[in-house]
Amino acid sequence: MTIEKIRNDIHNNMGNVAVITHNEGRNKIQEYEGELIEVYRNIFIIMDNNSKRSFSYNDVLTDTTRVYFKIK
């Protein structure tokens, strides 16, 4: 998988609900769920309980962050 493919997959799901599992190291795993609201060249942003959270495509490529979508 390449960053370009990841970027395209995420861009194609704009407006859908994303479930994101983020590994913060030292056995700290956070899970976020929110609407994918913005996609930029290096990051994408979800709206999670009235707060914005940004994630990097690089983190998805290296499995630090995993993204799943709930299709409307």
Side-chain angles (χ1 to χ4, degrees):
M1 182 156 300
T2 65
I3 288 183
E4 193 62 39
K5 178 161 177 16
I6 293 167
R7 187 180 295 133
N8 288 336
D9 288 345
I10 290 174
H11 180 70
N12 290 338
N13 282 291
M14 180 75 94
N16 290 329
V17 174
V19 177
I20 297 177
T21 305
H22 182 70
N23 184 349
E24 297 180 349
R26 293 196 171 224
N27 298 322
K28 295 179 185 173
I29 297 177
Q30 296 290 327
E31 187 170 289
Y32 306 101
E33 184 173 334
E35 182 180 355
L36 179 63
I37 58 170
E38 297 177 48
V39 176
Y40 295 104
R41 185 167 189 261
N42 295 318
I43 63 168
F44 58 96
I45 299 174
I46 66 165
M47 181 66 83
D48 175 38
N49 296 328
N50 295 326
S51 65
K52 291 182 180 180
R53 301 203 183 267
S54 64
F55 301 93
S56 163
Y57 300 115
N58 263 349
D59 290 341
V60 176
L61 181 65
T62 60
D63 277 340
T64 304
T65 301
R66 294 186 181 209
V67 181
Y68 305 97
F69 291 101
K70 293 182 179 180
I71 307 301
K72 288 183 179 179

